[in-house]
Amino acid sequence: HIFMALALYLNDKNDVAHVSVADVLEQGAQFDKANEEYAKILKDSPVYFMAQLKTVSNEMAQDHYAAARKKIETLIKEYPDNEQLMFNMGEVLRMSGDHKDAIKYYNKALDLTAEKDVDAWTVYYALGISYERNNEWEKAETAFKKALTSSNGHPYVLNYLGTLLEI
């Protein structure tokens, strides 16, 4: 931590040092202070987008879903075709209990990942959870089966699918 502080003293625009300090603060569950470090990173920085995603994660870690949602909404305006943002918005909505809207964002993420041929088992998994919580059993089962196939039988998927089929 001393070396990062020294690096910032010598150059307070050193974004890598800000990220490093924020990482240390996150490890100590000092999420607000970590977000203060991320806020010092300007939009023209190569690490800006990552810093914004970390800010959202820190808000979610503190159950500050409204703040996380507001941040993601702003980012979606800047990056409307970013599947990670769509997934993250789905996560914020799901974790705050809004499964109906979470489903919309997970589906947007899937549409965007299909264009990029990206492995999307985690999106299918989260989508399945939201469908299940929204009492859409058949859609939940379909999503979990897709997650199971693309994850090569990940234990989380197997467990949730097993629980769903027992209901």
Side-chain angles (χ1 to χ4, degrees):
H1 192 74
I2 271 184
F3 295 114
M4 291 177 280
L6 180 60
L8 287 171
Y9 175 77
L10 294 173
N11 179 5
D12 66 347
K13 299 197 185 323
N14 184 335
D15 294 338
V16 173
H18 285 296
V19 170
S20 297
V21 168
D23 283 341
V24 169
L25 292 167
E26 288 168 346
Q27 290 172 16
Q30 297 181 39
F31 300 112
D32 288 333
K33 288 185 179 183
N35 286 350
E36 289 173 15
E37 289 300 316
Y38 291 131
K40 296 173 184 175
I41 298 171
L42 302 177
K43 281 186 179 184
D44 63 349
S45 171
V47 297
Y48 171 77
F49 183 75
M50 182 275 309
Q52 299 306 301
L53 289 179
K54 294 287 281 179
T55 299
V56 169
S57 294
N58 289 340
E59 295 295 355
M60 290 174 64
Q62 300 176 89
D63 298 334
H64 297 162
Y65 300 118
R69 183 177 181 164
K70 184 177 178 182
K71 173 65 83 176
I72 294 173
E73 286 171 347
T74 300
L75 290 168
I76 287 173
K77 289 177 186 172
E78 294 177 52
Y79 309 96
D81 295 325
N82 186 286
E83 72 274 2
Q84 184 66 49
L85 291 176
M86 299 305 164
F87 176 74
N88 285 10
M89 180 63 92
E91 289 290 273
V92 168
L93 293 167
R94 179 177 62 86
M95 293 177 81
S96 62
D98 187 353
H99 299 286
K100 185 177 180 180
D101 284 338
I103 289 166
K104 293 176 189 174
Y105 280 94
Y106 290 138
N107 280 316
K108 287 180 184 180
L110 286 171
D111 290 343
L112 291 167
T113 51
E115 295 171 9
K116 297 178 181 174
D117 194 33
V118 174
D119 180 24
W121 81 265
T122 55
V123 183
Y124 282 116
Y125 175 71
L127 179 63
I129 293 171
S130 288
Y131 276 135
E132 183 265 330
R133 299 279 166 86
N134 208 40
N135 297 319
E136 297 181 58
W137 311 109
E138 289 178 15
K139 290 180 180 179
E141 183 179 352
T142 299
F144 282 124
K145 285 182 178 177
K146 287 181 180 178
L148 186 63
T149 301
S150 62
S151 72
N152 294 318
H154 193 283
Y156 289 167
V157 181
L158 285 168
N159 183 50
Y160 213 108
L161 186 57
T163 303
L164 179 67
L165 295 175
E166 288 179 9
I167 294 176

